[in-house]
Amino acid sequence: MNELGFPILSLMMAVPMAGALLCLFASAPQARQVALVATLADLVLGLLLWLNFDQSAGHAQWQFQEYAPIFGRFAWAMGIDGIALTLIALTVFLMPICILASWDSIEKRVGEYMAAFLFMETLMIGVFAAQDLFLFYIFFEAGLIPMYLIIGIWGGVNRIYASYKFFLYTLLGSVLMLIAMLWMAREAGSTDIPTLMAYSFDPKVQTWLWLAFFASFAVKMPMWPVHTWLPDAHVQAPTAGSVILAGVLLKMGGYGFIRFSLPMFPEASAQFAWLVFGLSMVAVVYTSLVALVQSDMKKLIAYSSVAHMAIVTVGLFAFNQAGIEGAMMVMLGHGLVSGALFLCVGVIYDRLHTREIDRYGGLSINMPKYALLFMLFTMASVGLPGTSNFVGEFLALMGVYQASSWVALVATTGIILGAAYMLYLYRRICFGDQKNADAAAMPDLSPRELVMLVPIGLSVLWMGVYPESFLAPMRADVQAIVARMAPAAPEGDAKLTAGKPHAAPAEHENHEATNEHGGPETAAEAH
Amino acid sequence: MQSIQLIVFLPLLAAIIAGLGNKALGNVPAKIVTTGALFVSCALSWPIFLSYVAGHAEPSVAPVLHWLSSGSFNAAWELRVDALTAVMLVVVTSVSALVHLYSWGYMDEEPDQPRFFAYLSLFTFAMLMLVTANNLLQMFFGWEGVGLASYLLIGFWFRKPSASAAAIKAFVVNRVGDLGFMLGIFGTYLVFDTISIPDILAAAPGMAGSTIGFLGHRFDTMTVLCLLLFVGACGKSAQLGLHTWLPDAMEGPTPVSALIHAATMVTAGVFMVCRLSPMFETSETAMHVVTYVGAATCLFAATVGTTQTDIKRVIAYSTCSQLGYMFFAAGVGAYGAAMFHLFTHAFFKALLFLGAGSVIHAMHHEQDMRYYGALRKEIPVTFWAMTAGTLAITGVGIPGTLFGFAGFFSKDSILESAYAAGGPGTTAFLIGVFAALLTSFYSWRLVFLTFFGAPRWAGSEHIQHAVHDAHGHDDHAHDAHHDHHHGHDGTAGYHPHESPLNMLVPLVVLSLGAVLAGILFHGAFIDPEGGAHFWEASTLAFNEHLMHASHGVPLWVKWSPFAVMATGLTIAYMAYIRHTDWPAKFTAHFHVLYDFLLNKWYFDELYNAIFVKPAFAIGRFFWKRGDEGTIDRFGPNGMAALVVAGGRVTRRLQSGYLYTYALVMLLGLAAAVTWAITQS
């Protein structure tokens, strides 16, 4: 039972599910309203969840737990920690915005479309709330289906290829994960995730289990070189599909690393840290450069997502508090910012029906409100301090610096390249002269569009100026993971030594200071 | 509430009001709000500064809000006030307030004024956050915040392709420096377990002599940290290698150049080195690097400045060169002199830029000095203000007396300290003296080309347009006769007008600063005893011994700046007033050297060839050959080919009833899993 006296997590899953069923049988206008009401109701529940989440010192790690056995070891086990809480909050925050983004732009089969979205919300909350291994797996994989439908039915011209590629990639990885899960359930005799997080698998077996999970999470992230489904999926998906894909679905990979790979297989994680670092370093440089040469707005942002997610993976495998908290903050920040950027693309796509960057230009003149918000999200995307993404990138990179200065250096070049491709994009869309008459005639943001973008903008600033609201709930949980991994944590490359005892005999104040600071543990390394 | 909070946050509030209010608010209210806020901030800043000059104020830190913590990492929003901050406060708020006022006149015909004033105030806020930072992260916030404002203001006329290109260049080149700054913060945290500036500075001496692994090698810890942070300083302060954005930044409106790219933002790097001076003191290598980079920039920019013809670009290179002086002053340990030059430079360089703006305003947006001439009588106030600025930058003054313009006190102090410090300081001294010769030459060249000689206005397209437009409107009836009448005297019939009062007042106020700042404040900044007392209330590592030594340098050292200043003036006079054919002869004779300088040592061409073009080419290669040609070809597409060959699946996928298929899959999967569980 939980603090609220009713099973709030199940309710948060049931509300959109009920909405989805209603939508299937409703007319187009009704379906829109049902979907909006259902997602807003979930947002209210999400707020309730956040406000009742116990953040005080020494609180229980798992809260709002529910348990109902189904059969065998399989149970309806729900419960969240701070990490899941923030990701659920991100999900319920983005969903009403997605419904609004689809309000006018989706004209065919509206009921089914809204149903697919609501069904997806149910599954996403399920992924973050599940405490049973197989329950997680079902939600994790089933999330593919509504997304697959959204791209395949309501997508662009080349939607079949994109949805097929999306499905194929993500499914192949998950088959391996399923096998690993079956083995784990038998070995540990439990499918309870908290139990498994404390279970010590044999390090030799860990290697294989880690790789099996990695196959699935790496595709979901996506990590280079299994990222090529993402640009195609984004380009073909309708706006709201892109928002949810970039905003929440990509976060499932990172969540998987935090929930499974790191705490369950700490030795294997340490062993493979350099694989992750290597792929991530390639991703930062490679995909940033590819983003620079794109002429399709959505492709550009999709490639930038891959680069940002690489910062997440380096942060996660830094094996320290700053790295993991930073990775979480990048995920939350990127969820908001890339979602908002896709919405910004959608706003002008709805008006001109093209994603070609060159067809726009000078939008600052006829769409000043749009230009302002787009600038805010562009700056957040390049990680300007005071916005959400800076907090995450800074912590993640600081964390990885303690593991390896090389990785930190290469990953930090992302801030240069990121500025280059984003500002180049912004310049081509909003600056310059109004060279295209049709683009110059586009009206500024409608009230509906403002309602979508302004809350995200405010959240981005809030996360940048006072990230404590988001870091506080997850702090203890991240500490627990770091403590769990500590015995396996590899040593960093800094290997700081103390100041030489006889460094400066002439300067007496220098001498004193050296004695003061040369502690026994560092002095030992000096020799 | 303490006044520091008002000083810092009023400009932010004003920026938000003017920016969001924009057109709905209207030009005049937006200008009143922003300018008013800045004058209030300025009025509150001076008492703080004077209380430190008087020597009865202690450093203080005003907390604002918790910001970011993770493990032992902790950073708060807080406002630190000490002597060093106080200097920056008056520089930033005074110049900013005057620039706001000046912009009332300069931007009068601009349709988009609230946006401009909002950006200016936003910039001021970010700069104030930078100078009041008590930890490295807040300094970085201000650092990037001023970068954002600079980007927005350089690109203010965003319709011009050159302006938006320059804006991106400024941001991206600065980011290269920021990479160093960020790694510096990471390293500092790793070594000291804190990013609080006072704590770091207290612990820094204890780390001298320690080593750290960095990029696979072992280095001296403090050298690595200082050099990483210094890379950041080089970006923001446009030092050699990362300077290429500054001349292009002149695409922004002239008041912006005065505020951001002369007086305040570009000096942030110098401020940072002075703020962290106890840290730099622990690494001799880092100090040497700072000295040499500063000296090299000082020389490079001065040489380029002698050949430029755009009035703003000459001043931009001059700024770059003066920043070099400040850096090598810091590098030899004369932080007081570096800060003093920063202080005086803010006044006279803002003055020169605003004066140039007044000239451009009078000359109908013409910026090329080749089409100026004889403006002395047309715009007398501007002329006298520019002269005051030139006297200050060239360091006119009599050594050994208290007679001298602002730059005389600060620049001579830098050169004498460099000489007194010895080692790399001697090199810096020699370079600095030579650069002073060039400074005097290009500064007087600017004055002579603009205000003396015969008018050469007829060559300017801008002037031709202006004259033509005026005729179109007023002189319709008898313009044929009129046209014939003029044109021989080089004026094209154009009549420059002196700028309005709201532009002249800032010029006069800054002129006073350029004349008096040195005399009034040298005691506090660079006097061995006075300076020690003043800087005690700050983190600046004031070196009393060095300042004493700098007073005892040989006579020829003291007089050499004066001698080169007079030489530069004489050469400029000979070449641009007495024998105006000399420059053409010189360029014809030494055309290789001239082209090299005119093209700014070919830095832009070099960077284009080795960074910009390859980045795009490699990006295209990765995209077409990597993603599409390799990963997709052998990955999903190869798989797809197999499946298609296999049969009906793809047709089924395209049937439109995907969801039934998918649902079946989901159910099958779930069934398989649950079956597996119950079996075990």
Side-chain angles (χ1 to χ4, degrees):
Chain A
M1 216 46 247
N2 65 59
E3 296 79 350
L4 285 163
F6 64 94
I8 186 168
L9 293 171
S10 296
L11 188 64
M12 286 181 76
M13 293 175 69
V15 168
M17 197 66 207
L21 291 175
L22 272 177
C23 281
L24 280 179
F25 304 104
S27 68
Q30 284 169 335
R32 291 189 185 110
Q33 283 161 7
V34 168
L36 187 62
V37 169
T39 51
L40 284 175
D42 243 24
L43 177 59
V44 172
L45 285 172
L47 283 176
L48 207 61
L49 188 73
W50 187 296
L51 293 175
N52 283 285
F53 186 84
D54 183 8
Q55 300 180 16
S56 57
H59 65 81
Q61 185 181 6
W62 300 99
Q63 302 184 24
F64 305 102
Q65 280 183 306
E66 300 166 22
Y67 188 85
I70 300 175
F71 57 85
R73 291 193 194 109
F74 188 42
W76 182 265
M78 292 277 159
I80 55 167
D81 62 354
I83 294 168
L85 172 76
T86 52
L87 289 165
I88 289 177
L90 176 70
T91 310
V92 294
F93 177 72
L94 285 176
M95 277 311 287
I97 293 168
C98 286
I99 302 297
L100 283 177
S102 316
W103 206 258
D104 294 330
S105 57
I106 300 298
E107 286 159 351
K108 68 169 184 179
R109 304 168 92 173
V110 179
E112 281 111 318
Y113 177 88
M114 293 298 172
F117 256 90
L118 290 170
F119 181 46
M120 193 151 64
E121 181 171 21
T122 301
L123 295 173
M124 289 186 301
I125 294 171
V127 166
F128 297 130
Q131 285 207 316
D132 181 279
L133 197 58
F134 291 102
L135 202 57
F136 170 85
Y137 182 80
I138 291 170
F139 292 138
F140 189 82
E141 294 309 326
L144 289 178
I145 295 162
M147 196 66 224
Y148 175 68
L149 298 177
I150 288 165
I151 297 173
I153 299 175
W154 294 274
V157 182
N158 209 1
R159 58 182 183 270
I160 300 300
Y161 172 70
S163 58
Y164 167 72
K165 202 167 165 182
F166 169 68
F167 201 77
L168 190 73
Y169 251 123
T170 42
L171 198 65
L172 278 179
S174 64
V175 170
L176 293 170
M177 184 169 81
L178 179 63
I179 296 166
M181 282 179 166
L182 291 169
W183 194 92
M184 284 163 67
R186 206 164 41 221
E187 165 79 15
S190 171
T191 59
D192 182 44
I193 291 176
T195 309
L196 289 166
M197 282 168 75
Y199 188 87
S200 298
F201 291 98
D202 177 9
K204 279 177 201 143
V205 183
Q206 278 189 24
T207 306
W208 295 104
L209 295 176
W210 189 93
L211 284 172
F213 276 83
F214 181 70
S216 178
F217 298 148
V219 170
K220 267 272 170 23
M221 275 310 293
M223 291 176 73
W224 186 88
V226 288
H227 65 283
T228 62
W229 61 271
L230 187 71
D232 283 307
H234 269 310
V235 164
Q236 300 302 330
T239 301
S242 290
V243 174
I244 266 321
L245 185 57
V248 184
L249 290 187
L250 298 191
K251 286 22 184 212
M252 290 182 181
Y255 179 75
F257 279 124
I258 294 184
R259 186 62 83 224
F260 297 93
S261 304
L262 296 177
M264 293 184 193
F265 323 123
E267 280 83 12
S269 294
Q271 185 188 341
F272 285 114
W274 272 98
L275 171 69
V276 174
F277 287 158
L279 295 180
S280 304
M281 287 193 290
V282 172
V284 168
V285 177
Y286 180 111
T287 52
S288 295
L289 288 172
V290 173
L292 195 60
V293 296
Q294 296 305 312
S295 57
D296 180 313
M297 291 187 282
K298 275 188 143 181
K299 255 197 172 154
L300 194 155
I301 300 170
Y303 275 109
S304 86
S305 291
V306 182
H308 282 118
M309 288 300 111
I311 306 283
V312 173
T313 44
V314 294
L316 288 177
F317 284 81
F319 278 74
N320 53 39
Q321 185 92 6
I324 296 178
E325 285 183 351
M328 276 303 297
M329 290 302 284
V330 174
M331 289 206 278
L332 297 176
H334 177 264
L336 293 175
V337 172
S338 69
L341 286 171
F342 280 118
L343 288 173
C344 285
V345 170
V347 164
I348 53 177
Y349 181 81
D350 286 348
R351 286 163 173 67
L352 215 58
H353 298 287
T354 175
R355 295 182 311 269
E356 275 299 309
I357 295 169
D358 283 346
R359 293 279 290 105
Y360 298 93
L363 295 190
S364 292
I365 298 163
N366 54 315
M367 300 177 74
K369 286 178 202 157
Y370 174 78
L372 174 67
L373 283 163
F374 191 21
M375 172 54 73
L376 171 65
F377 298 126
T378 300
M379 282 299 156
S381 175
V382 305
L384 198 81
T387 65
S388 52
N389 289 25
F390 170 73
V391 173
E393 285 179 17
F394 180 83
L395 286 179
L397 293 168
M398 189 173 74
V400 81
Y401 184 92
Q402 297 175 25
S404 162
S405 47
W406 262 115
V407 179
L409 174 71
V410 174
T412 311
T413 57
I415 70 164
I416 303 172
L417 297 168
Y421 62 71
M422 283 312 293
L423 295 183
Y424 186 43
L425 169 71
Y426 190 85
R427 174 190 170 184
R428 286 177 288 170
I429 289 180
C430 286
F431 287 167
D433 252 328
Q434 295 175 307
K435 54 186 176 167
N436 301 308
D438 47 359
M442 300 195 305
D444 206 349
L445 295 177
S446 68
R448 175 179 63 85
E449 289 161 339
L450 279 173
V451 168
M452 285 155 34
L453 290 172
V454 170
I456 305 186
L458 293 176
S459 311
V460 164
L461 292 174
W462 177 15
M463 278 180 81
V465 174
Y466 193 71
E468 185 62 16
S469 311
F470 304 86
L471 284 167
M474 66 173 84
R475 184 161 290 137
D477 304 311
V478 174
Q479 271 164 4
I481 295 172
V482 173
R484 170 101 176 105
M485 298 192 303
E491 196 183 3
D493 69 348
K495 297 194 178 67
L496 183 67
T497 66
K500 289 174 196 135
H502 307 293
E507 303 259 333
H508 62 280
E509 73 269 22
N510 204 345
H511 195 65
E512 277 171 19
T514 311
N515 288 342
E516 212 172 288
H517 287 86
E521 74 285 356
T522 42
E525 286 180 34
H527 303 290
Chain B
M1 170 168 283
Q2 290 162 274
S3 65
I4 184 66
Q5 278 141 337
L6 281 176
I7 293 173
V8 174
F9 290 109
L10 271 181
L12 174 67
L13 191 67
I16 293 173
I17 293 173
L20 294 184
N22 211 334
K23 299 252 157 61
L25 190 65
N27 285 347
V28 176
K31 290 196 281 193
I32 289 175
V33 168
T34 50
T35 314
L38 257 300
F39 272 94
V40 171
S41 282
C42 180
L44 292 171
S45 297
W46 276 95
I48 295 179
F49 174 63
L50 293 176
S51 71
Y52 281 100
V53 172
H56 53 70
E58 291 297 312
S60 69
V61 176
V64 177
L65 189 69
H66 181 76
W67 186 9
L68 179 55
S69 47
S70 170
S72 67
F73 181 86
N74 200 9
W77 299 104
E78 50 198 0
L79 305 175
R80 178 189 174 86
V81 184
D82 61 9
L84 192 56
T85 306
V87 172
M88 296 306 286
L89 282 183
V90 291
V91 166
V92 173
T93 56
S94 307
V95 176
S96 181
L98 292 171
V99 164
H100 273 77
L101 178 62
Y102 178 94
S103 303
W104 281 61
Y106 193 83
M107 302 300 280
D108 195 34
E109 291 164 20
E110 183 61 42
D112 221 359
Q113 292 180 38
R115 187 164 65 91
F116 181 77
F117 281 83
Y119 288 169
L120 280 187
S121 294
L122 177 70
F123 165 77
T124 313
F125 162 71
M127 191 70 204
L128 291 171
M129 288 299 276
L130 195 167
V131 301
T132 55
N134 196 39
N135 61 58
L136 290 177
L137 199 64
Q138 187 182 326
M139 190 187 268
F140 191 68
F141 167 84
W143 198 265
E144 292 273 278
V146 292
L148 167 69
S150 163
Y151 163 81
L152 293 170
L153 283 164
I154 295 168
F156 180 74
W157 287 314
F158 58 80
R159 290 173 198 235
K160 270 167 73 184
S162 58
S164 35
I168 293 184
K169 186 171 172 184
F171 199 94
V172 173
V173 174
N174 265 295
R175 276 269 158 143
V176 177
D178 295 347
L179 170 80
F181 196 164
M182 272 182 92
L183 290 175
I185 298 176
F186 300 155
T188 307
Y189 172 67
L190 178 76
V191 171
F192 296 106
D193 205 31
T194 176
I195 55 157
S196 156
I197 292 172
D199 293 353
I200 297 167
L201 299 183
M207 276 296 160
S210 65
T211 63
I212 193 170
F214 182 70
L215 303 184
H217 298 275
R218 292 206 72 78
F219 298 100
D220 179 69
T221 309
M222 295 313 293
T223 304
V224 170
L225 298 184
C226 291
L227 289 182
L228 284 173
L229 293 169
F230 181 62
V231 171
C234 285
K236 200 55 82 195
S237 293
Q239 293 300 288
L240 190 62
L242 295 177
H243 67 280
T244 54
W245 63 274
L246 184 59
D248 288 27
M250 297 301 121
E251 288 290 340
T254 310
V256 173
S257 314
L259 174 60
I260 301 184
H261 306 120
T264 56
M265 183 186 84
V266 290
T267 62
V270 181
F271 168 77
M272 183 229 257
V273 173
C274 290
R275 170 60 92 204
L276 302 177
S277 48
M279 203 171 154
F280 280 80
E281 285 287 315
T282 59
S283 167
E284 199 180 40
T285 316
M287 295 287 275
H288 288 181
V289 171
V290 174
T291 308
Y292 285 124
V293 169
T297 309
C298 172
L299 176 69
F300 154 78
T303 57
V304 175
T306 57
T307 57
Q308 301 300 307
T309 56
D310 182 311
I311 187 168
K312 285 183 71 181
R313 292 205 174 223
V314 174
I315 308 177
Y317 278 105
S318 156
T319 304
C320 199
S321 170
Q322 298 300 311
L323 290 167
Y325 278 103
M326 297 176 211
F327 272 111
F328 79 66
V332 300
Y335 306 104
M339 282 308 293
F340 194 34
H341 199 52
L342 187 160
F343 181 76
T344 60
H345 175 259
F347 292 107
F348 64 69
K349 191 50 67 69
L351 171 62
L352 286 171
F353 261 120
L354 293 185
S358 180
V359 173
I360 294 166
H361 192 256
M363 293 302 283
H364 211 265
H365 307 300
E366 179 56 65
Q367 300 192 8
D368 195 327
M369 297 190 299
R370 286 173 296 184
Y371 306 126
Y372 289 171
L375 289 170
R376 187 172 72 248
K377 299 233 170 58
E378 311 284 341
I379 45 174
V381 180
T382 307
F383 165 67
W384 284 110
M386 291 284 276
T387 306
T390 307
L391 290 169
I393 192 177
T394 56
V396 173
I398 312 290
T401 70
L402 276 185
F403 168 76
F405 291 87
F408 159 74
F409 288 91
S410 52
K411 190 192 281 182
D412 283 19
S413 171
I414 287 176
L415 291 171
E416 288 161 14
S417 309
Y419 181 84
T426 312
T427 317
F429 166 77
L430 293 172
I431 291 176
V433 169
F434 181 62
L437 170 70
L438 297 174
T439 307
S440 174
F441 170 74
Y442 67 66
S443 301
W444 288 112
R445 169 177 174 261
L446 185 153
V447 171
F448 294 151
L449 278 174
T450 306
F451 294 105
F452 291 84
R456 301 178 298 276
W457 315 338
S460 160
E461 278 182 35
H462 293 270
I463 298 292
Q464 293 288 1
H465 277 299
V467 173
H468 191 263
D469 283 354
H471 283 195
H473 292 301
D474 312 330
D475 303 1
H476 233 296
H478 42 177
D479 61 343
H481 170 70
H482 222 79
D483 254 339
H484 194 253
H485 170 68
H486 49 63
H488 299 298
D489 56 356
T491 65
Y494 184 71
H495 299 290
H497 290 290
E498 184 59 283
S499 300
L501 204 58
N502 43 26
M503 290 168 69
L504 295 182
V505 169
L507 287 182
V508 173
V509 174
L510 287 170
S511 300
L512 289 176
V515 175
L516 297 175
I519 300 172
L520 290 178
F521 295 111
H522 73 279
F525 280 86
I526 51 172
D527 183 71
E529 281 82 33
H533 192 55
F534 178 67
W535 293 117
E536 200 183 1
S538 79
T539 63
L540 186 133
F542 188 75
N543 190 334
E544 237 179 298
H545 301 294
L546 181 63
M547 296 322 282
H548 269 299
S550 77
H551 285 269
V553 295
L555 216 54
W556 69 270
V557 173
K558 282 188 190 262
W559 280 91
S560 52
F562 183 86
V564 294
M565 180 269 296
T567 313
L569 169 61
T570 312
I571 299 173
Y573 176 77
M574 296 301 279
Y576 292 98
I577 293 190
R578 288 296 295 277
H579 305 283
T580 46
D581 56 332
W582 278 14
K585 280 185 186 160
F586 179 85
T587 53
H589 204 264
F590 298 100
H591 63 91
V592 176
L593 176 65
Y594 177 73
D595 285 346
F596 183 66
L597 297 182
L598 186 67
N599 288 298
K600 306 156 271 185
W601 295 24
Y602 295 102
F603 265 102
D604 281 332
E605 288 75 6
L606 180 73
Y607 284 180
N608 245 338
I610 63 175
F611 295 122
V612 182
K613 283 194 179 138
F616 278 87
I618 296 170
R620 225 166 270 121
F621 176 82
F622 281 158
W623 179 30
K624 290 292 175 193
R625 293 292 172 81
D627 270 21
E628 293 184 354
T630 311
I631 299 173
D632 275 357
R633 189 168 155 220
F634 298 108
N637 293 359
M639 217 77 86
L642 285 175
V643 174
V644 171
R648 323 183 310 277
V649 178
T650 37
R651 274 204 296 285
R652 190 89 179 102
L653 283 173
Q654 292 172 23
S655 65
Y657 294 96
L658 297 140
Y659 58 93
T660 51
Y661 174 78
L663 207 61
V664 168
M665 257 190 79
L666 171 65
L667 291 176
L669 214 58
V673 175
T674 43
W675 175 80
I677 306 165
T678 45
Q679 284 298 299
S680 60

